[in-house]
């Protein structure tokens, strides 16, 4: 691990950065990049110095889905992904990889089609003011599925369905994505996006890592079930933290007006 | 088939289903209840139709059951009660398992049972003069199916407020837009043009890919996230190898409209 061809993985203080790095292909994902994602998420999740992960892209696009030129080019097509898709055994997002650290997606430009995987599967999404969102799948004969299913749980459904059916013939602005609650912040000018994401990540990194991990498990777990069952499972996550040293350290550091020293496991 | 309470038409690939009891606020009487089932199925079965627009003649969109008329028709009332009890209604596109994208174009007041057609559409646009309200509890009726679906698709507080404020308050088109219940607000006299334009864009996409997409996304409202993704993956893979998946990218590179395969229904 550590050397990537299609991604940049780096650290800045408590923040791990995962950067899509195929700018000439608008960060479209070929099969090599797909494999690198699996490693990069685990590498950052396993690094105790990393408390929060920011995911963004190089160039004018954030991500534009599967690399169609690879699909079209070698006669194998989407068939290369059949087994993993049929078994829903995917490994390219933080949700697939069960990363329990907070993940911020910082959408730096175009987010199209499969790019929505990392919007749907992030905890927090911010975007540059010139970011644009659209889903061209049905315009090229592909089905819209996993990414939109994730989004449906997290935002008003009508907007997701409109994007799914209108295909490449319409784009959603960062402004509308903000109004709908798909993203929580627009950064303007766009070139401030990374600085701002770093700042937001550092703010989040001030919180108890163990408490955030249990919180993340409770909230994502809730998307799997009915309300009462979700509360029951959430209660178990809550109680699992009781007696944890962070629960003494938190109030103590507050009273002593200093930053807490969280336990890092 | 000719209809007494609906206007059913085609324009290019767009099918129109128009409520046509303007003097009764387009409320559903016994005849309309029967005709709706026939009309949805007729448009869904017509291979020329790729997308369906649902709107109303006159100043109202739809105001729910015509209780006055139904009271005079005991057989129809009994049948409707039976279907309601068994959750076997056949009035909306979703009830009739319509496979094509459905746009509701709300031309005026949408009240009570009229909300079925908002909740069960894929995409909803509205005239700026449109209003939404749910008077059920103001006349001693329970609000159920329509708002259950809306709760899945929109911010819940606004749905609960509508359910409990009954006939004493209306949601404006502008607020419905902010909440993501609808995706577009237009001047009242350009509503049909706007709906036609949107439908036209959607009709340019692969009919088969859209049918799978619709099944994946609506199916996702039935289960937990991971199960929904698993079912969605099956919809996705089922389309692999379909001729539209070659035609789509080919048409794009040749800068022409794709010639989609007719849908196997």
């Amino acid at each position: 691990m550590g050397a990537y061809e299609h991604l940049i993985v780096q650290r800045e203080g408590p923040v791990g950065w995962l950067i899509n790095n195929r700018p000439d292909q608008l960060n479209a994902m070929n099969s090599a990049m797909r494999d690198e994602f699996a490693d990069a998420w685990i590498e950052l999740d396993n690094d105790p110095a990393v408390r929060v992960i920011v995911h963004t892209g190089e160039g004018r696009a954030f991500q534009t889905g599967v690399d169609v030129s690879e699909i079209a080019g070698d006669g194998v097509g989407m068939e290369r992904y059949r087994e993993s898709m049929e078994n829903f055994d995917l490994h390219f997002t933080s949700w697939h990889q069960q990363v329990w650290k907070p993940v911020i997606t910082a959408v730096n430009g175009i987010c199209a089609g499969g790019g929505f995987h990392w919007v749907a599967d992030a905890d927090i999404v911010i975007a540059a003011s010139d970011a644009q969102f659209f889903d061209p799948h049905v315009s090229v004969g592909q089905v819209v599925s996993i990414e939109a299913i994730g989004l449906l749980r997290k935002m008003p459904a009508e907007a997701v369905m409109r994007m799914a059916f209108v295909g490449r013939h319409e784009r959603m602005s960062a402004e509308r994505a903000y109004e709908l609650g798909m993203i929580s912040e627009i950064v303007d000018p766009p070139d401030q996006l990374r600085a701002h994401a770093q700042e937001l990540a550092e703010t989040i990194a001030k919180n108890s890592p163990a408490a955030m991990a249990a919180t993340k498990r409770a909230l994502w777990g809730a998307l799997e079930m009915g309300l009462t069952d979700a509360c029951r499972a959430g209660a178990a996550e809550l109680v699992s933290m009781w007696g944890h040293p962070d629960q003494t350290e938190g109030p103590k550091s507050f009273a002593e007006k200093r930053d807490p020293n969280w336990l890092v496991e | 088939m000719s209809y007494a309470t609906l206007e059913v038409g085609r324009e290019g690939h767009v099918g129109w289903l128009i409520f046509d009891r303007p003097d009764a606020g387009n409320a559903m009487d016994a005849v309309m209840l029967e005709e709706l089932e026939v009309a949805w199925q007729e448009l869904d079965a017509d291979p020329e139709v790729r997308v369906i627009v649902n709107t109303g003649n006159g100043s109202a969109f739809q105001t729910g059951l015509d209780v006055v008329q139904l009271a005079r028709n005991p057989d129809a009332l009994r049948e409707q009660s039976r279907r309601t009890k068994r959750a076997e209604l056949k009035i909306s596109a979703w009830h009739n398992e319509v496979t094509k994208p459905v746009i509701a174009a709300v031309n005026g007041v949408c009240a009570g049972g009229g909300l079925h057609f908002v909740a069960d559409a894929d995409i909803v646009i509205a005239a700026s003069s449109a209003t939404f309200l749910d008077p059920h509890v103001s006349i001693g009726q329970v609000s159920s199916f329509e708002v259950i679906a809306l709760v899945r698709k929109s911010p819940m507080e606004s749905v609960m407020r509508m359910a409990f404020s009954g006939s004493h308050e209306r949601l404006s088109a502008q607020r419905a837009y902010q909440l993501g219940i609808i995706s577009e607000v237009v001047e009242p006299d350009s509503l049909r043009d706007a709906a036609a334009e949107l439908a036209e864009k959607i009709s340019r996409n692969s009919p088969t890919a859209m049918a799978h997409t619709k099944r994946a996304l609506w199916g996702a409202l039935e289960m937990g996230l991971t199960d929904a993704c698993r079912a969605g993956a099956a919809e996705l893979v089922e389309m692999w190898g379909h001729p539209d998946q070659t035609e789509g990218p080919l048409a794009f590179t040749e800068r022409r409209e794709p010639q989609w395969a007719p849908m196997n229904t």
Side-chain angles (χ1 to χ4, degrees):
Chain A
M1 276 196 234
Y4 299 92
E5 190 186 346
H6 303 299
L7 298 173
I8 299 168
V9 175
Q10 59 194 30
R11 280 89 170 155
E12 206 173 314
V15 184
W17 282 78
L18 195 167
I19 303 168
N20 303 327
N21 190 28
R22 302 187 78 217
D24 296 340
Q25 291 81 25
L26 300 178
N27 292 321
M29 180 171 73
N30 61 6
S31 39
M33 189 187 197
R34 197 178 197 248
D35 293 341
E36 289 186 0
F37 269 124
D39 293 341
W41 287 116
I42 298 296
E43 179 187 329
L44 291 170
D45 200 31
N46 285 343
D47 183 345
V50 171
R51 305 263 177 101
V52 180
I53 302 170
V54 178
H55 182 207
T56 190
E58 282 285 310
R60 69 185 180 90
F62 167 64
Q63 219 286 334
T64 54
V66 162
D67 186 340
V68 184
S69 62
E70 184 185 52
I71 295 299
D74 63 0
V76 186
M78 290 297 280
E79 287 301 320
R80 78 191 72 225
Y81 301 132
R82 179 176 289 275
E83 201 187 337
S84 64
M85 193 56 88
E86 275 178 348
N87 299 319
F88 190 56
D89 181 29
L90 307 179
H91 300 278
F92 52 81
T93 75
S94 53
W95 179 62
H96 301 152
Q97 293 301 69
Q98 301 189 297
V99 172
W100 300 120
K101 292 174 184 175
V103 173
I104 301 169
T105 285
V107 181
N108 54 293
I110 296 168
C111 174
F116 282 102
H117 277 291
W118 294 278
V119 172
D121 292 0
D123 302 301
I124 296 170
V125 188
I126 67 174
S129 55
D130 60 355
Q132 293 183 326
F133 301 87
F134 63 104
D135 191 341
H137 276 107
V138 295
S139 301
V140 292
Q142 294 286 342
V143 177
V144 180
S145 178
I146 316 292
E147 319 84 305
I149 288 170
L151 287 177
L152 279 183
R153 300 280 145 145
K154 298 174 70 186
M155 61 178 284
E158 195 270 353
V160 180
M161 301 229 187
R162 178 165 175 142
M163 253 190 315
F165 290 120
V166 85
R168 71 180 175 86
H169 307 296
E170 194 176 274
R171 295 181 180 203
M172 183 190 282
S173 65
E175 189 62 44
R176 183 60 180 152
Y178 174 76
E179 287 173 353
L180 288 164
M182 187 169 94
I183 66 176
S184 57
E185 208 170 333
I186 297 174
V187 180
D188 190 60
D191 64 11
Q192 291 303 300
L193 180 68
R194 286 197 192 179
H196 192 74
Q198 177 72 26
E199 197 181 314
L200 174 60
E202 283 177 12
T203 304
I204 292 170
K206 290 179 180 168
N207 300 318
S208 157
M212 289 198 291
T215 298
K216 183 161 175 169
R217 279 193 296 269
L219 300 192
W220 282 88
L223 302 183
E224 303 288 348
M225 43 196 138
L227 179 58
T228 302
D229 285 342
C231 287
R232 224 179 284 279
E237 289 294 347
L238 201 91
V239 173
S240 76
M241 261 305 273
W242 290 358
H244 189 283
D246 283 5
Q247 301 199 325
T248 320
E249 171 63 7
K252 194 156 166 262
S253 65
F254 184 77
E256 292 171 4
K257 297 179 195 256
R258 58 169 176 83
D259 283 337
N261 292 305
W262 303 120
L263 181 74
V264 179
E265 286 157 271
Chain B
M1 161 94 198
S2 72
Y3 298 87
T5 65
L6 301 173
E7 222 180 277
V8 175
R10 279 96 168 146
E11 215 168 305
H13 287 308
V14 184
W16 288 80
L17 194 163
I18 304 168
F19 303 122
D20 191 28
R21 296 188 74 220
D23 296 339
N26 289 323
M28 293 177 274
D29 64 356
V31 180
M32 194 188 284
L33 286 169
E34 274 178 29
E35 289 187 345
L36 279 168
E37 182 175 354
V38 179
W40 285 117
Q41 293 180 8
E42 178 187 328
L43 291 171
D44 201 33
D46 183 342
E48 277 305 299
V49 172
R50 296 205 181 158
V51 49
I52 302 169
V53 179
N54 177 209
T55 188
N57 281 333
S59 60
F61 171 65
Q62 180 37 265
T63 54
L65 283 186
D66 186 337
V67 273
V68 180
Q69 196 275 350
L70 276 171
R72 290 193 217 107
N73 187 337
D75 285 348
L77 189 60
R78 205 173 302 119
E79 173 62 11
Q80 194 57 23
S81 307
R82 189 187 66 83
R83 289 185 175 195
T84 302
K85 237 181 268 171
R86 299 183 183 175
E88 280 174 1
L89 296 177
K90 290 285 185 193
I91 63 177
S92 77
W94 179 64
H95 299 148
N96 285 289
E97 299 181 51
V98 169
T99 58
K100 297 169 184 176
V102 173
I103 301 168
V106 182
N107 54 295
V109 63
C110 174
L115 294 168
H116 276 293
F117 301 92
V118 168
D120 293 358
D122 301 300
I123 298 171
V124 189
I125 69 173
S128 54
S129 56
T131 55
F132 302 84
L133 72 156
D134 187 355
H136 277 108
V137 297
S138 301
I139 52 163
Q141 294 286 341
V142 176
S143 187
S144 179
F145 301 129
E146 313 87 309
V147 286
I148 287 171
L150 282 177
V151 159
R152 295 279 149 135
K153 296 176 69 189
S154 6
M156 181 160 175
E157 194 270 354
S158 60
V159 180
M160 298 299 252
R161 180 163 175 152
M162 194 159 48
F164 290 131
S165 57
S167 61
H168 309 298
E169 198 174 272
R170 293 178 178 215
L171 187 76
S172 69
Q174 192 50 43
R175 182 61 183 149
Y177 174 76
Q178 288 172 346
L179 290 163
I181 296 172
I182 67 179
S183 54
E184 201 175 332
V185 180
V186 298
E187 286 304 311
D189 50 11
S190 55
L191 178 67
R192 290 203 187 175
D193 287 343
E197 195 183 319
L198 175 61
E200 184 63 33
K201 286 179 190 166
I202 291 170
S203 72
R204 293 166 66 189
N205 299 319
S206 159
T208 311
M210 290 198 290
H212 283 288
T213 296
K214 183 156 172 159
R215 272 202 297 272
L217 300 192
W218 282 90
L221 303 182
E222 303 289 346
M223 42 196 139
L225 179 59
T226 302
D227 287 341
C229 286
R230 221 179 283 279
E235 290 292 344
L236 202 88
V237 174
E238 217 175 294
M239 183 81 188
W240 289 356
H242 188 281
D244 283 4
Q245 302 198 328
T246 321
E247 170 62 8
L250 195 68
F252 185 75
T253 42
E254 292 174 0
R255 290 165 195 272
R256 57 168 176 81
E257 284 295 313
Q259 301 293 317
W260 303 120
M263 201 163 56
N264 298 320
T265 43

